[in-house]
Amino acid sequence: MWSEELQVMTIKHFGEAGATMLKKVVKGKYTFALGFDRDLFITDKAKALIPDSEKDKRYFIFDMDDSRTPVSFIKAYDFIEDLVEDGWAID
């Protein structure tokens, strides 16, 4: 798990600059992703990738290509604390 300082920073600053670069350790390797806070900013491309069953949530995580464009949906969360508890942090 990330340091308490990084967790707090993620909660306080997620989405402030639009898309948020995120990281998570999965099976000993870093996974990088793109996150959006629907209430602050989300691209049309990202919106189109969200399954209907998840559209009512607020925070969204996507795989991205080299240009940091969302290419596939990973997960959605109702609360930023759940996203952080799941292991995601600002990169």
Side-chain angles (χ1 to χ4, degrees):
M1 189 55 93
W2 304 109
S3 69
E4 184 175 341
E5 180 182 20
L6 183 56
Q7 291 177 46
V8 169
M9 188 170 79
T10 301
I11 290 168
K12 284 185 170 185
H13 300 290
F14 186 95
E16 282 184 346
T20 301
M21 294 296 302
L22 297 168
K23 61 187 173 185
K24 180 177 182 177
V25 177
V26 178
K27 297 180 182 177
K29 294 184 179 183
Y30 283 104
T31 297
F32 296 95
L34 198 59
F36 292 96
D37 177 339
R38 178 178 45 116
D39 289 355
L40 297 177
F41 172 79
I42 189 166
T43 65
D44 290 339
K45 169 78 174 176
K47 281 183 193 176
L49 297 171
I50 302 168
D52 288 341
S53 62
E54 303 294 316
K55 288 188 188 261
D56 64 333
K57 296 189 177 174
R58 180 171 173 181
Y59 302 96
F60 302 98
I61 309 293
F62 300 90
D63 270 332
M64 62 186 162
D65 63 17
D66 291 338
S67 66
R68 296 187 180 167
T69 299
V71 294
S72 63
F73 175 79
I74 296 176
K75 194 163 182 179
Y77 301 87
D78 288 313
F79 304 101
I80 189 67
E81 293 83 2
D82 294 337
L83 179 146
V84 170
E85 188 174 307
D86 198 24
W88 292 103
I90 287 178
D91 183 44

